Structures are given as structure tokens and as C-alpha cells.
């Protein structure tokens, strides 16, 4: 039987760009180029490896985001995913993690799945909680923050390297997995992959298709609110000294003056 | 007075510092009620009481160790029901965030993660967060349900404030989901004897410039002279020179010490994301153009193989 894998991928502003907030205190997505969150590339990579090991598998990549977010889907398709689902609706603007996860849960259910794979965190919101929330909403086991993952005979096992211990985890499918950037380098799309991606199906869904009340999402439907966002003042220029043989001693003097020694 | 539920991070009854910091923040919002789970939970009571917990709810069961996260969510939900707090505070560890997040879904409440400060406001707690690799500071609130907020280590001082700390056993019935993810085995990380990276007052880090695992002893020696934790850039970790558990940055640990010393680290945005909120930043780098110098309070343009041992000697000498 076919293994249905859904990979959640987020379209984020480039971290090397000048990221900032718009007037309504949501992320300004117009001024900075976006891309597939690099940490989601690891999720796509693991999906491809799991699919390779399975008799028969189908990988759907899923995003919730504006028109541009299609770019993230194309990238994932060019890496080798089979098809894509794009949830786009004007009413989604400004959704917090609770609203976003509600939409993702409905979209995952509509798509049909045995295994959901997420990145460990996005590179913009960087909350790192969406996978756990999605597992809770879907009512399936979470096997999160894995640096190693394997799926065999309807069972997912993986290694989670935590602060104080390394754990070996196991759950039965259907389940939700998130993977870290320790799980293995993501492949680059090949030219063939890029060409093939252009022909792969991208399904667009809106809130009505998912039977979600618009009042439950967007800025107004979110359960958290940002009241202010201020740019951190640039750090005042520090003292910079060229080492002429006494650099270590000078540094010690500085540390002593600051009472660190 | 209103009660604030605080989730306790402890190891066999030894309470970790971020939890004591949470108690300081919790007292700004109301009376802290602590929840400690698993082996040694009752042994946390004395130190929690000393830091302001009016009550300590405890629960021990094999489920907390045998399954991932969900049994703890069940317990936190039971505590939430028993206490009806005005806020739930949880340390921002990987596990803490997941527990808080699932609780928030269940109690239909908003969540704020990685707060670096917390104040009482007219419309509930106001959390400060650092956004976009700490280049922005935001203030946020929860608008629905009981605010669930996770707080980063080193966000508040630890303050003694003796309170009753009466221990009460919490009745927890585990959900069907509790046993969904089995922990087949657990290999504890070996202790280095150095401070915990995220909690340390001083962090000394090494990057690609350290040029080999065999040279990291220079970084360790400096760290030991200062009583510091050791950090590493991803380049050093990916090269296999130092364990991933010591990585500082977006996909490693986020640290906020009093002093951060970066050695042979260029200061890429993903590294900065994990250390930019350090109070004092020092760098040793042989490239005067390295972006890390934009952040420093004090920088040495020089070869770390010269500067770091000299600094270590000098620190040891001054300590006498
Ligand atoms: C600086 C900043 C701070 C924020 N703080 C909060 C906060 O405290 N509380 C709150 O409720 N919201 C917050 N948000 C909003 C929140 O980040 C978004 O709602 C977001 O879609 C979900 O959170 P995340 O991306 O941080 O998730 P993470 O938990 O970091 O993401 C983990 C994984 O979830 C998947 N994923 C996340 N979003 C999507 C998506 N749109 N489409 C497909 N897959 C996705 C990806 O696989 C990703 O790797 C914040 C946003 C920003 C920019
Ligand atoms: C999705 C994603 C997540 C990431 N997460 C992280 C993360 O969590 N943490 C992280 O650190 N990076 C992370 N990175 C990687 C990051 O972009 C950089 O590649 C990395 O931080 C570079 O490490 P470095 O500064 O040690 O190495 P380099 O950038 O190579 O810098 C080495 C520096 O050492 C100096 N140097 C060399 N020799 C000497 C000497 N003898 N004496 C003094 N100075 C010397 C050089 O001048 C140079 O500035 C991430 C990247 C991505 C894409």
C-alpha cells in the first residue's frame, strides 16, 4: 500500500536580507526576497529518503502563504516531491501559530496522509512549536526534533538529541515527524528536477475549500497580538585593537575592567 | 491573589536555574504555583518555596519517562484545571516549548515562545521577544484564553522570596495519546563539569578559525580559567571538532550570557541569532573585516593561537 507523506514547508524572508515588520506589525514580505525556509529542505530530504526505501510512496508538499509561497513549493518539487498543495487566502494575513496550525491541520487531513514531516523550526518565526501543535490537532503521535529517522512496516523510529540526553523514539503511523539540520544535507535540485517540477500539479485551496471560518484566522482571529516592534539600537561601536603581541593581555585588562576576572 | 502556574524543569529533584528565573517573573503577575513531574518531584519543593512558590504540585509516574512529551501535557492540563491560573510559564527548552504548545491548543489559548522579559499589563502579561536574529524587539500579548508563555534562560534574576511551598499531590489521568510515542532508550549526555551552555554567565566559543578538534583545548582552557561554558559555531560542529550540543546559533543553543567571547568566528546571521543578546561581546579574529566586529564591545584583530593562550595565562595569573 502506498505511503502518503505530506511535508510542511514555509516560505520565509531571506535571513541575509534586511528583514523588518510592516505597519501592521506583521512580517514585511514585500521588501525582502523570500525562499523555502532552509530548515524545511531537511524535511523534504528526509521525505525523499523515506520514499526511496518504501515500496510505493507519494510526497505532497504543503504550504500556507501568499502567492509568492509557490516558489517554496516549486523548490521542493524540483528536489523530487510529487505534488503540491498551496493554501492561499487574503483572510490568512497575519495568522499566528494557532491559526496557521489550524489551517495546516485541515489541509493535511484533506490531502490524506500516513506521515507528516516538518522542519524543526522556520527561519523567520523560529518558534519551533508548530510540529507539536499540529500533532496535537491531528491526534497523532509526535516524533519530533529527529537527527535520524526511519520508517518501516508502519512504524517510525528516530533519534532525538536533547539537552541532557539522546533518545531513541518510536511510534506507529499515522504520525508526525520533525527533523533537525543534523538529519543529513539536503540535495540540490538537478536540472532535470527543475524541468520536471514545472509539470507537477500544484493544487490551490482557500478557506472555503477547507471549511474554515475566516474569523478563526488572520490578524483578528489570532490568539496572540504584537503591540510594538522596535529595531534594536545598533550596538555602540566597540574598541577594536590590533594584536601587536600583547593582545591577550589587553583583552584580560578589558575583562578585568568589566569585573569578569 | 491571582495564581500563576510555573512548570518546573528539574533533574531528579535538582531544579534548574531557568525555573528559578521563571519564579521571579511569575511573582510580577501573581502567586507562583509550581508543577514538578517525575522522579524526585517532591524534592524540588524546598528550593521552589525559597524562591516564591506558594504551592508545589507534584506527580510521579513511569509514563513521564517512558513516553515523549504528552504525559507531561496531561499533567500540566490537570494542573491548569486545578489552579485556574492567570498565566502558565514554561522554560523555553525544546521540550518545554512542545509541552506548552500542546497545552495551549487543549485549553484554547494563545502562546508566546522565547520571551526574554515579562511584565504585568492592563490586558494581561506583556512579553518581550527578540525577532529576526535579535535585530528587533517586540512586545506581545495573548488575546484568548490563559496566556501560555515560554521564557528563555537568563531572562530574569534569580531572587529569593520565601513562601509556603506546600506540597500537594496532583491527580493526573493520562490521555489515550499519552503513550503514542515510546522512548525506547535514553543515553544521558556525559557531564563535562562545565556550566550548562544556555545558563552560563560566560560563554567562550570557537569557530572554523580554531582549525581542528585537537585545538579546541585552547578554547576549553580559556573557558575553564573564566568558569565559562564552551560554545562552537556550526562550521566547527559540522567539521566534527565539537559536539552539536555545544552549537550556538539558530539551529543550536541560544545563549544570553553576561559575556560572550567568539574566537575564530566570522559572525554569520545564523550564529548571531544565538548570541546577539549577550550583554558584553568580545571577539578574536584575524580578519579585521569579519562581521562579528560590528557587534563587539571589545575586539582583537589577531591570530587566536597567539591571543587565546596569552589571555588564558593572564586570567589565571590575575586570579592568583
Ligand atoms: C519574529 C516572529 C515571532 C513570532 N512569535 C509568535 C508567537 O509568539 N506566537 C504566535 O502564535 N505566533 C508567533 N509568530 C507567528 C508564527 O511564526 C507564524 O504563525 C508561523 O506560521 C508559525 O510559526 P513558525 O513559523 O514560527 O513555526 P515553527 O514552529 O518555527 O515552524 C516549524 C515548522 O512548521 C512548518 N510551518 C510553519 N509555518 C508554516 C506554514 N505557513 N506553511 C507550511 N508549513 C509551516 C514548517 O515545516 C516549519 O519548519 C511569530 C512570527 C514572527 C515572524
Ligand atoms: C539554516 C542554517 C542554519 C544555521 N545555523 C547555524 C547555527 O546555529 N550556528 C552557527 O554558528 N552557524 C549556523 N549556520 C551557518 C552559518 O551560516 C555560518 O556558516 C557559520 O556560522 C560559520 O562558522 P564560522 O564563523 O566558525 O566559520 P567562518 O565563517 O568560516 O569563519 C571563520 C572565521 O575565523 C577567522 N579565523 C581563521 N583563522 C583564524 C585564526 N588563526 N585566528 C583568528 N581568527 C581566525 C576567519 O577570519 C573567519 O572570520 C547556519 C546556516 C544555515 C543555512
Amino acid at each position: 500500500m502506498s505511503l502518503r507523506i505530506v511535508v510542511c514547508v514555509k516560505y520565509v524572508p531571506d535571513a541575509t536580507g534586511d528583514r523588518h515588520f510592516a505597519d501592521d506589525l506583521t512580517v514585511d514580505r514585500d521588501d525582502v526576497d523570500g525562499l523555502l525556509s532552509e530548515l524545511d529542505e531537511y524535511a523534504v530530504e528526509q521525505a525523499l529518503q523515506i520514499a526511496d526505501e518504501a515500496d510505493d510512496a507519494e510526497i505532497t508538499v504543503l504550504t500556507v502563504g501568499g502567492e509568492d509561497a509557490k516558489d517554496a513549493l516549486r523548490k521542493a518539487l524540483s528536489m523530487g516531491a510529487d505534488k503540491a498543495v498551496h493554501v492561499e487566502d487574503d483572510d490568512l494575513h497575519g495568522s499566528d501559530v494557532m491559526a496557521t496550525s489550524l489551517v495546516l491541520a485541515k489541509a493535511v487531513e484533506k490531502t490524506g496522509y500516513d506521515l507528516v514531516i516538518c522542519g524543526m523550526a522556520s527561519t523567520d518565526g523560529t518558534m519551533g512549536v508548530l510540529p507539536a501543535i499540529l500533532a496535537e490537532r491531528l491526534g497523532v503521535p509526535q516524533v519530533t526534533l529527529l537527527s535520524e529517522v526511519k520508517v518501516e512496516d508502519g512504524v517510525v523510529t528516530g533519534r532525538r538529541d536533547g539537552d541532557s540526553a539522546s533518545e531513541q523514539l518510536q511510534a506507529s503511523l499515522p504520525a508526525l515527524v520533525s527533523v533537525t539540520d543534523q538529519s543529513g544535507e539536503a540535495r540540490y535540485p538537478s536540472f532535470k528536477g527543475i524541468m520536471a517540477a514545472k509539470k507537477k500539479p500544484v493544487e490551490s485551496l482557500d478557506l472555503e475549500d477547507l471549511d474554515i471560518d475566516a474569523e478563526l484566522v488572520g490578524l483578528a482571529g489570532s490568539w496572540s497580538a504584537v503591540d510594538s516592534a522596535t529595531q534594536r539600537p545598533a550596538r555602540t561601536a566597540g574598541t577594536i585593537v590590533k594584536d601587536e603581541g600583547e593582545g591577550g593581555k589587553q583583552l584580560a585588562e578589558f575583562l578585568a575592567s568589566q569585573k569578569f576576572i | 491573589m491571582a495564581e500563576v502556574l510555573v512548570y518546573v524543569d528539574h533533574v531528579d529533584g535538582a531544579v534548574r536555574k531557568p525555573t528559578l528565573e521563571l519564579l521571579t517573573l511569575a511573582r510580577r503577575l501573581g502567586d507562583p504555583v509550581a508543577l514538578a513531574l517525575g522522579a524526585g518531584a517532591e524534592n524540588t519543593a524546598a528550593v521552589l518555596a525559597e524562591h516564591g512558590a506558594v504551592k508545589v504540585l507534584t506527580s510521579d509516574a513511569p509514563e513521564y519517562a517512558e513516553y515523549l512529551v504528552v504525559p507531561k501535557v496531561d499533567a500540566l492540563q490537570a494542573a491548569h484545571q486545578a489552579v485556574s491560573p492567570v498565566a502558565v510559564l514554561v522554560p523555553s527548552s525544546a521540550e518545554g516549548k512542545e509541552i506548552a504548545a500542546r497545552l495551549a491548543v487543549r485549553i484554547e489559548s494563545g502562546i508566546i515562545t522565547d520571551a526574554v522579559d515579562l511584565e504585568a499589563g492592563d490586558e494581561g502579561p506583556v512579553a518581550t521577544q527578540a525577532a529576526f536574529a535579535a535585530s528587533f524587539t517586540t512586545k506581545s500579548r495573548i488575546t484568548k484564553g490563559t496566556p501560555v508563555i515560554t521564557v528563555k534562560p537568563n531572562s530574569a534574576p534569580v531572587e529569593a522570596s520565601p513562601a509556603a511551598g506546600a506540597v500537594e499531590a496532583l491527580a493526573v489521568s493520562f490521555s489515550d495519546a499519552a503513550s503514542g510515542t515510546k522512548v525506547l532508550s535514553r543515553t544521558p549526555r556525559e557531564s563535562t563539569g562545565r556550566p550548562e551552555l544556555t545558563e552560563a554567565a560566560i560563554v567562550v566559543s570557537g569557530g572554523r578559525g580554531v582549525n581542528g578538534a585537537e585545538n579546541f583545548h585552547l578554547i576549553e582552557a580559556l573557558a575553564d580559567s573564566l568558569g565559562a561554558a564552551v560554545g562552537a559555531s556550526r562550521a566547527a560542529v559540522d567539521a566534527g571538532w565539537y559536539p552539536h550540543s555545544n552549537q550556538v546559533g539558530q539551529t543550536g543553543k541560544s545563549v544570553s550570557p553576561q559575556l560572550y567571547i567568539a574566537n575564530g568566528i566570522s559572525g554569520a546571521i545564523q550564529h548571531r541569532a544565538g548570541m546577539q543578546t549577550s550583554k558584553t561581546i568580545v571577539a578574536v579574529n584575524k580578519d579585521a573585516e569579519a562581521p562579528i566586529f560590528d557587534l563587539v564591545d571589545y575586539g582583537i584583530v589577531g591570530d587566536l593561537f597567539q591571543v587565546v593562550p596569552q589571555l588564558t595565562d593572564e586570567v589565571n595569573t590575575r586570579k592568583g
Side-chain angles (χ1 to χ4, degrees):
Chain A
M1 219 187 76
S2 170
L3 177 70
R4 296 166 302 166
I5 305 174
V6 177
V7 188
C8 298
V9 297
K10 191 176 181 187
Y11 183 73
V12 298
D14 188 344
T16 60
D18 179 22
R19 292 180 296 176
H20 53 266
F21 292 89
D23 291 342
D24 64 355
L25 301 180
T26 63
V27 179
D28 190 321
R29 296 180 188 278
D30 297 329
D31 277 8
V32 179
D33 286 343
L35 42 74
L36 166 62
S37 174
E38 281 154 312
L39 296 170
D40 290 339
E41 290 182 13
Y42 295 89
V44 175
E45 176 63 35
Q46 288 308 311
L48 293 168
Q49 291 189 21
I50 290 165
D52 274 348
E53 294 291 314
D55 291 340
D56 177 20
E58 183 180 54
I59 303 173
T60 307
V61 286
L62 163 66
T63 198
V64 173
E67 167 70 21
D68 294 353
K70 278 203 179 64
D71 287 358
L73 296 174
R74 286 283 169 220
K75 170 91 188 264
L77 290 172
S78 65
M79 287 173 72
D82 300 301
K83 61 190 182 71
V85 173
H86 181 196
V87 185
E88 188 191 2
D89 197 305
D90 288 344
D91 289 326
L92 286 168
H93 175 78
S95 294
D96 70 353
V97 75
M98 285 303 169
T100 304
S101 60
L102 175 72
V103 178
L104 281 169
K106 291 269 194 180
V108 165
E109 273 165 350
K110 189 178 166 83
T111 304
Y113 69 101
D114 302 297
L115 182 65
V116 179
I117 308 186
C118 294
M120 63 184 285
S122 74
T123 60
D124 63 343
T126 67
M127 296 183 75
V129 296
L130 189 131
I133 293 175
L134 195 51
E136 176 75 37
R137 287 199 186 277
L138 293 170
V140 300
Q142 71 170 81
V143 199
T144 44
L145 297 172
L146 302 182
S147 47
E148 242 174 51
V149 53
K150 204 177 175 73
V151 176
E152 230 169 30
D153 303 327
V155 173
V156 47
T157 48
R159 195 180 85 230
R160 170 165 162 134
D161 293 321
D163 284 349
S164 56
S166 178
E167 294 164 328
Q168 205 64 38
L169 305 177
Q170 186 185 72
S172 299
L173 299 185
L176 178 140
V177 158
S178 79
V179 299
T180 73
D181 59 336
Q182 298 291 300
S183 59
E185 270 316 303
R187 70 195 63 184
Y188 286 106
S190 62
F191 178 71
K192 213 173 117 210
I194 294 167
M195 296 315 287
K198 297 195 166 133
K199 299 201 190 78
K200 290 178 180 173
V202 177
E203 183 184 7
S204 285
L205 299 174
D206 62 15
L207 289 174
E208 206 179 315
D209 297 323
L210 294 174
D211 206 11
I212 297 173
D213 189 338
E215 279 165 23
L216 298 176
V217 297
L219 268 180
S222 286
W223 299 350
S224 58
V226 182
D227 286 337
S228 71
T230 44
Q231 189 142 21
R232 242 177 126 79
R235 292 184 82 104
T236 42
T239 310
I240 296 179
V241 179
K242 189 164 167 19
D243 179 33
E244 311 274 6
E246 300 283 293
K249 288 187 181 154
Q250 285 165 295
L251 193 42
E253 189 55 48
F254 170 76
L255 296 182
S257 75
Q258 302 292 308
K259 309 238 178 329
F260 289 118
I261 316 178
Chain B
M1 191 162 161
E3 292 181 323
V4 179
L5 190 56
V6 172
Y7 182 85
V8 177
D9 187 5
H10 71 99
V11 182
D12 291 329
V15 177
R16 293 182 52 180
K17 188 164 146 258
T19 301
L20 301 180
E21 296 168 4
L22 279 193
L23 290 171
T24 299
L25 295 174
R27 292 201 306 273
R28 298 180 188 167
L29 310 176
D31 287 331
V33 173
L35 171 67
L37 304 176
E42 288 188 19
N43 301 337
T44 62
V47 70
L48 295 171
E50 203 180 302
H51 292 88
V54 297
K55 206 189 294 175
V56 179
L57 304 174
T58 62
S59 164
D60 189 10
E63 278 84 351
Y64 297 124
E66 287 170 8
Y67 303 101
L68 190 75
V69 175
V70 184
K72 294 174 179 169
V73 181
D74 290 340
L76 191 52
Q77 188 178 14
H80 177 264
Q81 199 157 14
V83 174
S84 303
V86 291
V88 180
L89 307 185
V90 182
S92 264
S93 61
E95 186 186 63
K97 286 207 274 190
E98 293 188 335
I99 294 169
R102 297 188 71 136
L103 173 79
V105 179
R106 289 191 187 178
I107 62 173
E108 300 197 0
S109 299
I111 181 170
I112 289 171
T113 57
D114 296 318
V116 296
D117 200 6
L118 207 53
E119 293 294 338
D122 296 340
E123 297 162 285
V126 177
T128 305
Q129 288 170 291
F132 299 147
S135 57
F136 277 81
T137 302
T138 61
K139 298 221 184 257
S140 309
R141 269 176 309 117
I142 294 302
T143 54
K144 171 130 194 289
T146 311
V148 177
I149 302 173
T150 78
V151 181
K152 281 198 184 187
N154 287 344
S155 295
V158 172
E159 288 165 1
S161 172
V167 180
E168 247 176 62
L170 176 74
V172 180
S173 52
F174 294 110
S175 61
D176 288 344
S179 53
T181 311
K182 271 201 205 91
V183 179
L184 299 178
S185 68
R186 179 176 288 121
T187 316
R189 204 173 290 294
E190 261 177 60
S191 167
T192 59
R194 297 195 177 90
E196 183 64 37
L197 188 54
T198 52
E199 301 167 16
I202 303 180
V203 174
V204 176
S205 286
R208 202 194 305 271
V210 174
N211 200 25
E214 66 282 6
N215 300 328
F216 251 86
H217 71 91
L218 293 176
I219 304 298
E220 293 181 331
L222 175 57
D224 292 343
S225 74
L226 292 163
V230 176
S233 74
R234 177 160 148 183
V237 168
D238 282 353
W241 303 343
Y242 223 67
H244 178 252
S245 49
N246 293 71
Q247 182 178 315
V248 171
Q250 187 185 64
T251 55
K253 301 274 165 63
S254 148
V255 301
S256 200
Q258 296 298 318
L259 172 64
Y260 187 82
I261 308 183
N263 302 286
I265 293 178
S266 60
I269 184 83
Q270 296 89 353
H271 188 79
R272 287 157 58 162
M275 48 68 73
Q276 193 144 312
T277 55
S278 305
K279 307 286 176 303
T280 299
I281 298 175
V282 168
V284 179
N285 194 307
K286 66 180 182 189
D287 176 9
E289 304 293 312
I292 191 87
F293 284 125
D294 296 343
L295 296 183
V296 298
D297 297 284
Y298 200 93
I300 300 278
V301 180
D303 186 342
L304 72 89
F305 290 96
Q306 304 295 326
V307 178
V308 170
Q310 191 179 66
L311 172 61
T312 308
D313 283 348
E314 190 66 21
V315 174
N316 285 329
T317 310
R318 283 175 186 249
K319 283 197 308 189

